[in-house]
Amino acid sequence: MDSEQIGKLIRVGAAAATVGVASCVHAAAESLPIGQIMFFRAMVAGVLIALWARATAPARDLLPRRWRPHLIRGALSCGAMTLTFISMARLPITQAQTLTFLAPLIVVPLAMVRLNERLTRRLGIGLGLGFVGVLMILGLSAEAGRAALWGALAGVAGAVLIAMIQVNVRAMTATETTRSIALSFTMIVAVATLPTAALGGWVWPEGAALYALIGAGVFGALNVVMFAESLARAPASVIAPLDYTGLLWAVLVDWLLFAQIPGPWGILGSVLITLAALLVVLSPRSAAPRTPTT
């Protein structure tokens, strides 16, 4: 097995780890406030990422060279994580995971404005399919009740912020290392969410809730590490489409762990968004957009 094949397998594992985060958040949100989940996810992941980064790179690569982009990225990440965690808490994992796939679609108009990229026919078809898929998921969520609808709207808003983060990270990599970007993100989120201990009435986690908190951090760290390791072994344009294997993992998790089987319309909406995202990722433009974790 050559290096590129290993990179592909690692990238599939990274997609599975993303669904692992969503599953743990979904389970923990049954008894714990979102702020507490965000803090523990960031702290546990931050410690593990720091250990990995220190073991694989010199200490200077862990420190930001310019603090302002890191602070902006951290602020956007706090908002994106809050919204996506609300979506994960209120929606089936399949739908919540699919809504994060909107980010590459949203990057298209952002890139047109900021980077003067033009809209091709393939990108236009992708945007159209994604729009239809979102409408289908929003409609199903509205039928499921107000909580589900708010969860879906939060997922869409979270995808907008993730798209903004992608553009931000794309610019940051010109001067910052991937390890410093990953580490500063977790630390900023941890500091920003710590005050929710006083404001949100944290609950002492026990049993399954405690395991879910720890799992969210472990899976979050695994996602970051495997994402970076996959890029070290294979071109981004080759392995980026494998991120969308996460839809298969999400369906399995919904079925096996939460006894939630998406209906035909839910599956169709998720498939449309996934196809739309793949059209964008596989379009012959610049390198495929990176998908930072939240």
Side-chain angles (χ1 to χ4, degrees), residues 40-52 182-183 186-187 217 220-221:
F40 277 91
R41 180 256 184 260
M43 279 301 299
V44 173
V47 171
L48 295 176
I49 291 170
L51 292 174
W52 163 74
L183 193 57
T186 57
M187 294 298 100

Side-chain angles (χ1 to χ4, degrees), residues 90-92 95 99 133-153:
R90 298 186 177 187
L91 292 177
Q95 293 181 11
L99 290 176
V134 169
L135 288 180
M136 294 179 71
I137 288 181
L138 289 178
L140 289 171
S141 300
E143 292 179 1
R146 181 175 297 180
L149 177 59
W150 281 113
L153 292 173

